[in-house]
Amino acid sequence: MNYHIPTKLPKSFLDKLSLGLVLQAPIEPMELGKRIYCLDNVKSYLTYNPGSIQYGWIFSALGSVIIKLHGHVVVKDERGAFLCVTPPEAPLHYHNFVPDDSVCDLVVNQRLPTRAFALVDNKVVRQMVELENKHDQARLNGDKFGLDKVYLEKKRLAAEFLGTVKKYTGRNDPCYCGSGKKNKQCCQ
């Protein structure tokens, strides 16, 4: 099972978190930019170009059961438009991006946070969300022992979680394997 980039975000989820407007930030990777290192890439870009740093969130989903917010940094140009200069991990032309200056306060050791949320009310899904968030805390703090511990806990929960994900994934939903295809054209 892998996370995928959702094309649509559940409005009820966005409303529940009181997130602002979801905007499309075009992706134009800078030369010598590094994947994942968006804060460093934007700082480097701004040494030679006008604009400012804009913190916010981008999204990934695990089937139809978990959505994850990833702290992300983009360039805000002089007109107020956003531009992502970080090479994407998947072939994308834009990010669904929600500006949120409070992300700046969550940066630890130059690492941006992630936050996982359950989209369904299920005990196993809630356990996996808790593990995802523990994983992020260990990652932010550079806690290798904590990362290993969470990895083992996730491995123990994996089979039960997979069954739960299959149960909640409809034929027309994105496949839980992360392929980006509809479930009926993939793992079903």
Side-chain angles (χ1 to χ4, degrees):
M1 289 181 293
N2 294 305
Y3 280 87
H4 69 278
I5 307 299
T7 53
K8 295 179 185 172
L9 298 165
K11 183 170 174 13
S12 59
F13 167 77
L14 296 169
D15 290 346
K16 184 173 137 182
L17 292 182
S18 301
L19 291 173
L21 188 62
V22 178
L23 306 169
Q24 290 186 347
I27 300 171
E28 294 179 18
M30 61 181 278
E31 194 173 319
L32 303 177
K34 297 180 188 172
R35 288 183 179 175
I36 305 173
Y37 293 93
C38 58
L39 183 56
D40 293 340
N41 291 334
V42 168
K43 286 178 179 179
S44 177
Y45 178 90
L46 291 173
T47 59
Y48 301 102
N49 297 282
S52 60
I53 293 174
Q54 177 63 62
Y55 288 88
W57 300 103
I58 57 174
F59 306 87
S60 65
L62 186 54
S64 300
V65 298
I66 295 177
I67 196 157
K68 191 183 272 192
L69 280 63
H70 302 261
H72 193 62
V73 178
V74 298
V75 173
K76 184 176 183 180
D77 72 16
E78 294 169 317
R79 300 171 324 214
F82 300 123
L83 174 66
C84 179
V85 295
T86 300
E89 295 178 61
L92 297 171
H93 299 289
Y94 66 88
H95 281 299
N96 286 321
F97 180 75
V98 174
D100 183 352
D101 292 328
S102 73
V103 172
C104 178
D105 300 329
L106 304 173
V107 175
V108 178
N109 298 323
Q110 288 293 101
R111 296 181 177 114
L112 280 86
T114 65
R115 298 289 183 265
F117 297 91
L119 294 175
V120 297
D121 186 20
N122 177 279
K123 177 185 170 191
V124 175
V125 173
R126 285 191 305 272
Q127 288 174 321
M128 187 58 79
V129 164
E130 183 179 335
L131 291 173
E132 288 286 344
N133 289 326
K134 283 182 179 179
H135 176 270
D136 188 59
Q137 278 307 111
R139 179 188 64 83
L140 288 172
N141 295 320
D143 179 5
K144 182 164 173 21
F145 176 75
L147 288 170
D148 290 344
K149 183 178 176 188
V150 170
Y151 172 79
L152 292 174
E153 290 179 44
K154 285 168 83 173
K155 194 171 181 177
R156 280 193 281 270
L157 188 62
E160 188 177 5
F161 181 68
L162 177 59
T164 302
V165 170
K166 286 180 179 181
K167 176 180 146 186
Y168 283 99
T169 304
R171 289 176 40 82
N172 290 317
D173 290 337
C175 189
Y176 48 83
C177 75
S179 68
K181 297 178 183 176
K182 287 185 178 186
N183 188 34
K184 69 182 177 187
Q185 298 167 333
C186 198
C187 293
Q188 186 177 34

